[in-house]
Amino acid sequence: MTVSKSAILKTAGGPERAPRPGRKERAEGVAEAGELQLGELSELLGYSLKRAQLKVFEDFLRCVSTLQLTPAQFSVLLLLDKNPGRNQTEIANTLGILRPNFVTMLDGLESRDLCARMRSTNDRRSHILVLTDKGRAVLARAKKLVATKHEARLNELLGPVNRAALLEMLATIAREF
Amino acid sequence: MTVSKSAILKTAGGPERAPRPGRKERAEGVAEAGELQLGELSELLGYSLKRAQLKVFEDFLRCVSTLQLTPAQFSVLLLLDKNPGRNQTEIANTLGILRPNFVTMLDGLESRDLCARMRSTNDRRSHILVLTDKGRAVLARAKKLVATKHEARLNELLGPVNRAALLEMLATIAREF
């Protein structure tokens, strides 16, 4: 069975809405000289993924601004909470973060007392990562903000069925492409 | 009308396939100690967008490796081709690239004789961007590689209907979120 594009988007009330230029373009006056033609660009999945991801990350930062957490830092805290006692390499690899960037990020989290590095008892060369009590508390507040502000708005924009379909397709790409 | 997740994904033959760990995790031996639990992370749209985008960009780089073009450079060439005579600010704003990064990128493209900056006759402080003949030739080859290798594989993975639905949802997020 296949479904038409309009069927998939009906729940989000999408097709009726006329496309409008992004906030940034309008604010910076590009419209004055006429919008640029995106041409094939709007058909490129990589470009569309990047634009959507930037928008979602911007909103994430706004929603948790009181806690000063980036999306990547939030991912690390979530993963540490779910997988206590794992080492740096495992966490970095799972998140696809390069080692030097990950070490810098951990330095930041540790200096704010959100997580701690401890020597592994099995392998003295390896560092085990754990959340501190403060890390757990900040994570709990962040999860609440993300759920009630950020994800709730995305849900409203796309509709729960489309949101689930989107997540599934993104997972397929991440896993199999 | 709403459609179920399984209906949307049927065309890509997705649900029957068992999830498998990413190449990176397996290659680096994380699996030995057991896969990490992603928990709520796999339900976060921002995280899923980022992972899918990284995968798509990696594949893009592989597909056009003979031409040494990044996705962002390819976007600039496409946009210049479609909108000759626009200035730096317009191109950078449309692509959402920060000015210092954009200037560095232009330096690179110009040093390879793919585009040129010319003083605007209307506004002497402004630079008009144009593709060179070499830039047009490289763009034509890149477009062919992207279409036949990169986008064709994505089409195969998702199916054309899902691919179109995905693009539509990403555009909705970029435009309205």
Side-chain angles (χ1 to χ4, degrees), chain B residues 13-72:
Chain B
E16 285 77 26
R17 278 159 147 164
R20 55 183 174 78
R23 263 169 274 171
K24 189 174 284 172
E25 283 88 326
R26 276 182 292 129
E28 293 173 19
V30 169
E32 285 160 29
E35 292 294 324
L36 274 73
Q37 299 292 317
L38 285 183
E40 290 104 317
L41 216 45
S42 55
E43 287 298 311
L44 277 179
L45 204 45
Y47 176 78
S48 302
L49 280 168
K50 185 71 188 175
R51 294 312 296 254
Q53 178 254 309
L54 289 174
K55 266 293 181 76
V56 170
F57 274 33
E58 273 173 28
D59 185 76
F60 181 98
L61 289 169
R62 265 194 301 272
C63 290
V64 300
S65 62
T66 49
L67 301 173
Q68 299 270 316
L69 281 183
T70 65

Side-chain angles (χ1 to χ4, degrees), chain A:
Chain A
M1 178 199 161
T2 60
V3 290
S4 74
K5 232 165 62 174
S6 59
I8 292 176
L9 286 166
K10 274 267 167 64
T11 49
E16 284 76 27
R17 276 158 147 164
R20 55 183 175 80
R23 261 169 276 172
K24 188 174 286 173
E25 283 88 326
R26 276 182 292 129
E28 292 173 19
V30 169
E32 286 161 30
E35 293 293 325
L36 274 73
Q37 299 293 316
L38 284 183
E40 290 104 318
L41 217 44
S42 55
E43 287 298 311
L44 277 179
L45 204 45
Y47 176 77
S48 302
L49 280 168
K50 186 71 188 178
R51 293 312 296 253
Q53 179 254 309
L54 288 173
K55 266 295 181 75
V56 170
F57 273 34
E58 273 172 28
D59 185 77
F60 181 99
L61 289 169
R62 265 193 302 273
C63 290
V64 301
S65 61
T66 49
L67 301 173
Q68 299 270 316
L69 281 183
T70 64
Q73 290 172 326
F74 180 64
S75 306
V76 171
L77 297 185
L78 267 180
L79 212 55
L80 293 187
D81 188 45
K82 198 82 188 170
N83 303 274
R86 293 303 192 108
N87 68 40
Q88 279 185 210
T89 312
E90 290 173 311
I91 302 287
N93 286 350
T94 300
L95 294 174
I97 303 176
L98 295 176
R99 197 180 168 80
N101 301 346
F102 190 63
V103 169
T104 307
M105 196 202 297
L106 282 183
D107 289 343
L109 291 173
E110 211 168 27
S111 73
R112 291 164 63 188
D113 189 27
L114 299 179
C115 75
R117 273 175 276 212
M118 290 161 28
R119 284 239 177 261
S120 166
T121 46
N122 298 330
D123 174 2
R124 301 275 308 154
R125 292 161 306 175
S126 160
H127 281 98
I128 297 301
L129 298 174
V130 288
L131 280 188
T132 60
D133 288 343
K134 189 180 165 196
R136 247 182 300 277
V138 166
L139 176 61
R141 287 169 60 198
K143 276 162 83 165
K144 207 165 180 176
L145 288 173
V146 169
T148 57
K149 294 187 165 190
H150 178 68
E151 292 288 338
R153 266 191 64 219
L154 270 168
N155 229 338
E156 200 183 317
L157 176 67
L158 298 172
V161 174
N162 286 330
R163 189 184 169 285
L166 176 57
L167 269 179
E168 191 86 27
M169 285 194 264
L170 296 173
T172 301
I173 293 173
R175 204 169 54 225
E176 301 177 26
F177 189 52

